[in-house]
Amino acid sequence: MKKDLPENDVKDIAVAVALESESVESKVWYVYLINLKNEPIENVLITSKGYGEKDGEQVKTSTLRHMIPAIEGKAYKLIEPIDEQTFGLNNEYWVSYYIGKTIFDKKFIFLPESIVEMNFIKLPVINKPGVMIK
């Protein structure tokens, strides 16, 4: 059955974790969906969750669901804030969206300890430091 579905390749869509602000006590992080296309994407559904091993035990976070009506071309939208304590887990974002009547979907997974300063880039469109998966 799944083999009968068309494979719609997701291109020019990214999920990014950006460092919003930093103080002596803490850092504030947000997760964004970036549309690098020239055209809008619509009916965007995002499921986020964290999972993995911490202190020798399996850990799972709550599954959150987000809906964004549309994201214009060369634009971004906030998905959610993210806590630094989850950076040691797999942080998964499953994104589905439409262009016209065609549906696209892809999983973006930030692996444990991948959200670190040595992996920072200047995020396109957002123009903040962070880590991006495309």
Side-chain angles (χ1 to χ4, degrees):
M1 297 231 218
K2 188 173 180 177
K3 65 180 174 28
D4 297 328
L5 296 174
E7 286 193 35
N8 298 328
D9 287 337
V10 172
K11 294 181 181 162
D12 299 326
I13 299 294
V15 175
V17 177
L19 178 59
E20 287 296 311
S21 64
E22 191 172 4
S23 68
V24 176
E25 303 89 39
S26 67
K27 294 179 180 179
V28 177
W29 301 85
Y30 287 147
V31 182
Y32 292 97
L33 183 63
I34 306 172
N35 180 6
L36 299 166
K37 298 176 177 298
N38 291 319
E39 60 190 323
I41 59 175
E42 299 175 324
N43 297 322
V44 182
L45 298 171
I46 304 157
T47 302
S48 64
K49 65 181 178 181
Y51 56 90
E53 192 174 303
K54 189 169 185 175
D55 300 327
E57 292 190 29
Q58 289 298 313
V59 177
K60 281 178 156 179
T61 67
S62 299
T63 299
L64 302 175
R65 291 170 182 82
H66 309 275
M67 200 287 184
I68 301 169
I71 303 176
E72 294 302 315
K74 303 292 185 197
Y76 63 94
K77 293 284 184 180
L78 173 69
I79 298 174
E80 64 188 13
I82 187 169
D83 190 319
E84 275 186 295
Q85 293 181 14
T86 66
F87 290 176
L89 302 174
N90 293 296
N91 286 285
E92 177 184 294
Y93 295 86
W94 193 338
V95 178
S96 297
Y97 61 91
Y98 283 87
I99 296 177
K101 294 186 181 206
T102 306
I103 190 168
F104 296 82
D105 75 317
K106 182 176 179 178
K107 277 186 197 176
F108 298 85
I109 302 174
F110 292 92
L111 297 174
E113 308 304 335
S114 64
I115 306 169
V116 293
E117 197 165 332
M118 67 183 261
N119 292 335
F120 280 13
I121 61 168
K122 183 177 180 186
L123 299 170
V125 184
I126 299 174
N127 294 321
K128 294 181 180 177
V131 179
M132 179 175 82
I133 299 176
K134 192 170 155 186

